[in-house]
Amino acid sequence: MQRLEHLEHLDKHLVDELAQVARETVRDELREQARGQRRKAALYAASGAAALYAGAAVALAVGLALALVLPDWAAALITAVILGALAHALRGAARPTAARPIPGRSTAPAGRPADVPPVPSAPPTVGAVPPRPESSGPEAPHRRV
């Protein structure tokens, strides 16, 4: 009986040791991945800052070019309108609209679930048999005569 208790103690010790090794391995792997992602995020942030300054320089150049033929206030106003129109167009391109269908989604009207069939426009007539589809393609159901 003592031998079984000793083996249970060894099993518990082995399980604890394996769990600790697994935790350390996962922690090291996550630390390595986070280090790579931090570097990538810093590079994206630097790229965004450089692009912001480049855009400001382009806006300044446009304003100065317009100031050659217009008063300074008019050149600044036209540059602001151009930048505002560009911002509006970019926002519109980034935002999904109702006009464009989203793949995989039904275009059911609001308030009605997509799996409910549409209501027919005319009421059914009593005693009338609906016509059978006249398809003889490979998808048509086969009937025995």
Side-chain angles (χ1 to χ4, degrees):
M1 188 71 175
Q2 286 181 335
R3 184 174 180 146
L4 288 177
E5 289 176 5
H6 180 68
L7 287 177
E8 286 178 11
H9 176 69
L10 284 177
D11 286 346
K12 183 175 179 355
H13 181 67
L14 181 63
V15 167
D16 290 343
E17 196 172 322
L18 283 173
Q20 184 169 350
V21 168
R23 276 193 299 268
E24 289 174 2
T25 304
V26 168
R27 187 177 300 131
D28 291 343
E29 185 68 28
L30 288 174
R31 202 174 279 141
E32 185 67 30
Q33 286 179 359
R35 186 177 301 128
Q37 289 176 349
R38 276 194 305 265
R39 182 175 183 273
K40 232 188 251 186
L43 289 173
Y44 273 120
S47 170
L52 180 67
Y53 282 113
V58 168
L60 179 64
V62 168
L64 290 174
L66 287 173
L68 292 175
V69 294
L70 295 171
D72 292 343
W73 64 269
L77 185 62
I78 291 172
T79 304
V81 168
I82 290 171
L83 289 174
L86 179 65
H88 184 72
L90 290 173
R91 187 196 67 174
R95 181 183 286 180
T97 61
R100 286 187 270 167
I102 299 171
R105 283 207 174 165
S106 173
T107 57
R112 191 176 83 201
D115 57 346
V116 176
V119 178
S121 60
T125 56
V126 178
V129 178
R132 290 189 179 173
E134 296 292 328
S135 65
S136 60
E139 293 90 23
H142 298 287
R143 292 184 288 162
R144 292 188 181 173
V145 182

